[in-house]
Amino acid sequence: MPPTAIRMTDAQFDRLRKIVYERSGIHFQDTKKYVLESRLSRRVEELEFDDFDQYLLFLTTGPYQSDEFQEMFNRITINETSFFRNEPQLDVFEKQVLPKLLESRRTTKKLRIWSAACSTGEEPYTLAIQLHRSLGVRLGDWHIDILGTDISEKVLEIAQAGRYASYSMRSINPLVLKRYFKEENGSYQLDPTIQSMVNFELLNFKDSIAARRFGSFDVIFCRNVLIYFDDPMKLHCARLFHSQLVDDGTLFIGHSESLRNVNVPFEPVPVPQAFAYVKKAA
Ligand SMILES: C[S@@+](CC[C@H](N)C(=O)[O-])C[C@H]1O[C@@H](n2cnc3c(N)ncnc32)[C@H](O)[C@@H]1O
């Protein structure tokens, strides 16, 4: 795509990043003006505005504010993900956390997992594959509920389709690829059984009330999104996840993320590569 002529001034960047932060908690550092500029200048052109001042007016006072916020989040979020991303951590989930959970839930046979900020769906579908191969023929006896949520509508549409380019498969074992995907014209269609194990919903972490309607979870994965947040937003998210985990629930975060400065009762799981926390009572 050719570059557009619309440029963002420092003052416009400051106003826009403040609005983005208030609405989503995403913190654009001083050095990230080019990200907002490059991702939104075409939108300014599409709307036939002359500059970002007109866009800011439209975003904050126009009749279609909520639609435009959605459009903006579709464009400015970083959605990098893949199947079996950070496999050592997923091994801890599958080989250590999951067997204990299946044992402790053997009477109710109910398990709820939330992939929070799931992007295009590779993470919740990976968890579904792990559940599928762990339970085998017992899967039918269980109520497995895996929820994937994201702030971007665009990524959720891709997730729902369950069709992926080979780039999404860069960390997948070839046997798993063969077992769970069908190759069609250079892309990979996910097995419908795995697809049916996951539901997707739009959710902005800022909206704790909307999050509560999803109920409580045994496990929450929230990986590679806290890096875009500052400490107050991390605290907000940690409180949200704490309140939505069952008492012995586990939270997995990204390998470059931490809850160190966040004062919420979580106990780190003392296993190398786990990057996980167990909920302690508040
Ligand atoms: C880098 S992806 C991570 C995907 C996946 N969890 C993984 O680790 O592979 C980060 C995702 O966080 C989402 N996100 C950013 N801010 C959010 C917010 N305030 N609420 C919900 N999702 C958000 C983005 O849309 C993006 O899809």
Side-chain angles (χ1 to χ4, degrees), residues 135-189:
L135 281 167
V137 289
R138 295 175 295 152
L139 185 68
D141 302 334
W142 282 73
H143 300 279
I144 306 288
D145 183 6
I146 303 175
L147 175 69
T149 64
D150 203 278
I151 195 175
S152 161
E153 229 168 22
K154 193 180 73 188
V155 292
L156 295 177
E157 277 169 24
I158 297 170
Q160 254 141 3
R163 178 181 284 275
Y164 294 94
S166 54
Y167 186 65
S168 290
M169 307 296 168
R170 59 197 180 276
S171 318
I172 208 168
N173 174 314
L175 291 175
V176 177
L177 182 63
K178 196 162 183 285
R179 166 68 185 84
Y180 290 103
F181 294 85
K182 203 158 116 193
E183 194 179 349
E184 284 166 355
N185 306 323
S187 57
Y188 296 87
Q189 182 64 48

Side-chain angles (χ1 to χ4, degrees), residues 24 77 79-81 85 117 123 150 203-205 223-224:
S24 67
T77 49
N79 312 116
E80 176 75 17
T81 187
R85 182 176 193 180
E123 180 178 274
D150 203 278
L203 180 76
N204 179 348
F205 293 147
R223 303 189 305 164
N224 306 303

